[in-house]
Amino acid sequence: MGTSLQPTLYLTVNGEKREVPAPDVRATLLDTLRERLGLTGAKKGCDRGECGACTVHLDGRRVLSCLTLAVAAQDADVVTVEGLATDGELHAMQRAFLDHDAFQCGFCTPGQLMSAVACVREGRAGSPDEIREWMSGNLCRCAAYPQITAAIADVAERAAENESTPAESGGGRS
């Protein structure tokens, strides 16, 4: 009998190269992040791609990690909510969520933050209506939508004034 080689999944998560030995090819990115890598910021809400609580960035795009196979992220750059702050400094969007009290129970907050950063980066935060439309994939059972919209508008306005991206104006990765 020969030796069998165990496959390894290679991910870059929040700027750090990570290895997942012997990954289950059926495992979602969400389960891999939470159970194999110990990153529990992305939440398992509906597990069907309907609530947005599991939103992360994959190569700069927002994705629902409960619907993304971990093997699809091989050699990709994954950013989770844990990766937004850098060197202890909150990302501009995290600061705005605090300033605008844009959370209540906090369960949806990681996904809201990740989508909000993408919303501004994608240029989809020009008005409250546009923000609401582009954030519509993220549900908040506590109904903090007005505060979330205000926080995103605040960051978008400051980014436009500084002619920089939210990542540049507030630290962190996006």
Side-chain angles (χ1 to χ4, degrees):
M1 282 194 154
T3 59
S4 67
L5 295 175
Q6 291 289 337
T8 301
L9 176 63
Y10 297 96
L11 302 171
T12 301
V13 182
N14 300 328
E16 181 182 335
K17 299 270 187 211
R18 304 290 297 264
E19 292 183 14
V20 180
D24 179 347
V25 296
R26 301 164 297 174
T28 64
L29 180 57
L30 176 62
D31 288 339
T32 300
L33 291 169
R34 292 181 61 81
E35 297 168 13
R36 301 292 302 273
L37 299 178
L39 296 169
T40 58
K43 303 299 183 211
K44 186 178 272 196
C46 65
D47 210 22
R48 295 187 309 243
E50 295 174 359
C51 72
C54 67
T55 303
V56 299
H57 296 173
L58 182 64
D59 285 338
R61 294 182 351 249
R62 56 179 141 173
V63 298
L64 299 171
S65 62
C66 74
L67 296 181
T68 305
L69 291 175
V71 294
Q74 172 85 2
D75 298 322
D77 184 33
V78 179
V79 178
T80 68
V81 71
E82 292 95 340
L84 286 182
T86 28
D87 300 325
E89 182 179 335
L90 292 178
H91 185 281
M93 193 64 71
Q94 290 171 307
R95 171 61 43 211
F97 267 55
L98 287 170
D99 292 345
H100 290 274
D101 198 24
F103 52 89
Q104 289 185 25
C105 81
F107 190 82
C108 72
T109 304
Q112 295 279 359
L113 282 164
M114 298 307 291
S115 285
V117 168
C119 186
V120 172
R121 185 182 60 235
E122 294 163 359
R124 307 291 187 184
S127 71
D129 286 339
E130 186 177 34
I131 292 168
R132 284 189 289 275
E133 175 67 27
W134 287 93
M135 291 293 293
S136 65
N138 290 81
L139 303 180
C140 173
R141 291 182 179 100
C142 300
Y145 296 115
Q147 298 94 321
I148 291 168
T149 302
I152 296 168
D154 185 31
V155 172
E157 184 178 306
R158 283 188 278 134
E161 288 171 3
N162 294 333
E163 296 183 357
S164 65
T165 66
E168 292 166 347
S169 65
R173 296 173 191 87
S174 59

